[in-house]
Amino acid sequence: MEPAEAGEAVTRKGLLVIGDVVTDVVALHGGPALAGLALGTDTAADIVLRPGGSGANTASWAAHLGADARILTRVGFDTGEWHAAELRRGGVRPHLRVDPDRPTAVVIAMIDATGERSMLTNRGAGGHIGVDDWDDGLLDGVRHLHLSGYTLFAEPGLQLSRLALAEAALRDVTISVDPASTGFLRSFGAERFIQETLAAQLIIPNLDEALLLTGESSAERAAERLSLRYGAAAVKLGSRGALMARDGKLTARVPGIAAEVVDSTGAGDAFAAGLLTALLRGVADETALNAGGRAGAEAVTAVGGRPRISASDLGTDQLYPLNTN
């Protein structure tokens, strides 16, 4: 995905995300990772319910940053209306199907004292998104397609991904992909993942995903190698910043942005949104990486994976504090 030429007239402005919507149950227990949980008894925690999901988070952050953001996703019968309303409130145009037989995906995220998380995941309806959810009209007005790697990790989603990537390529829509999860990626197969997503011009992995995909031992070499496959690779390094490579050569590296970490959920999704919205404006790689870093730094300062919404924009039924200790 190359920056747009200066002064280039762009008539298509839309950013379409294909990915998951998740009900996040976030528990901040204040202890050291999972060791902070007391086995066989209670552990005090602040527990809240938030709308989440890697794809939905990225779309929401992109809308927050001014993009014409849309999402194709599948939700469950239990919370579908709530999720649709939350996406619209965040400025996203949702294209979603309600699964009548399955609940929305649920993630239980246990956040330790450093803001790091351990997760239990039920993919629910999201694991069944497929070609029946696709419509060629989804690409009308769309300039860029961003694919969450979670979509590929179940057979229906894999078929959808193949269709969407092919249609995007036919319509000269640029494409990026986020590998999403080392656990699922390892089971799916690193080389298989690359082969299935080579239509993309940009991959946005974190460091662990980049190393897994390439077998390299450094972020720099991994980024360079991935950029030879895709054209460009932006590797997220967490608090250490990020780097970009194009066609086998590093083009930019930026340091991390200091932030008070409350919850790291969604930081990588926010980074991807910041990076993409900046690249779509035609800026240089270093500027785009910094935009991604600023979004990621903002994301870690609050609970949940979406941009903050002011209290005046919320009804009493929009946030669900389950327990406060």
Side-chain angles (χ1 to χ4, degrees), residues 166-193:
E167 291 296 325
L170 285 173
R171 295 178 64 166
D172 294 322
V173 172
T174 56
I175 303 165
S176 58
V177 61
D178 186 331
S181 166
T182 53
F184 285 121
L185 188 60
R186 189 173 288 107
S187 297
F188 187 81
E191 183 59 30
R192 182 187 178 196
F193 181 88

Side-chain angles (χ1 to χ4, degrees), residues 179-236:
S181 166
T182 53
F184 285 121
L185 188 60
R186 189 173 288 107
S187 297
F188 187 81
E191 183 59 30
R192 182 187 178 196
F193 181 88
I194 291 173
Q195 290 299 323
E196 291 286 358
T197 58
L198 277 179
Q201 297 87 39
L202 171 65
I203 186 170
I204 314 174
N206 64 25
L207 177 58
D208 289 341
E209 292 156 0
L211 299 182
L212 176 60
L213 285 168
T214 62
E216 296 289 350
S217 58
S218 72
E220 293 80 6
R221 288 291 299 133
E224 291 167 348
R225 187 165 174 180
L226 286 170
S227 72
L228 287 172
R229 307 295 296 273
Y230 290 93
V235 179
K236 301 171 284 188

Side-chain angles (χ1 to χ4, degrees), residues 76-92:
F77 62 84
D78 52 347
T79 56
E81 291 184 4
W82 176 56
H83 281 292
E86 286 296 303
L87 287 164
R88 292 190 186 98
R89 182 175 289 104
V92 178

Side-chain angles (χ1 to χ4, degrees), residues 12-48:
R12 296 179 298 174
K13 298 183 182 299
L15 168 63
L16 175 64
V17 177
I18 300 178
D20 50 329
V21 164
V22 171
T23 302
D24 281 342
V25 182
V26 184
L28 292 89
H29 60 81
L34 291 180
L37 301 182
L39 298 179
T41 186
D42 297 312
T43 298
D46 290 335
I47 304 175
V48 294

Side-chain angles (χ1 to χ4, degrees), residues 6-146:
E8 178 184 355
V10 179
T11 56
R12 296 179 298 174
K13 298 183 182 299
L15 168 63
L16 175 64
V17 177
I18 300 178
D20 50 329
V21 164
V22 171
T23 302
D24 281 342
V25 182
V26 184
L28 292 89
H29 60 81
L34 291 180
L37 301 182
L39 298 179
T41 186
D42 297 312
T43 298
D46 290 335
I47 304 175
V48 294
L49 204 63
R50 291 288 190 274
S54 181
N57 292 343
T58 298
S60 296
W61 278 99
H64 177 69
L65 296 169
D68 173 10
R70 306 113 183 258
I71 186 169
L72 173 62
T73 190
R74 180 180 282 234
V75 294
F77 62 84
D78 52 347
T79 56
E81 291 184 4
W82 176 56
H83 281 292
E86 286 296 303
L87 287 164
R88 292 190 186 98
R89 182 175 289 104
V92 178
R93 289 199 259 174
H95 302 276
L96 54 81
R97 174 173 293 185
V98 177
D99 191 317
D101 301 316
R102 300 176 182 90
T104 302
V106 176
V107 169
I108 299 174
M110 294 164 285
I111 314 300
D112 67 21
T114 70
E116 284 299 323
R117 59 207 168 108
S118 301
M119 296 174 289
L120 300 172
T121 301
N122 180 343
R123 295 203 63 202
H128 295 268
I129 190 171
V131 294
D132 290 343
D133 298 288
W134 179 256
D135 185 291
D136 287 344
L138 289 166
L139 291 176
D140 291 346
V142 169
R143 183 177 170 196
H144 185 80
L145 170 66
H146 179 68

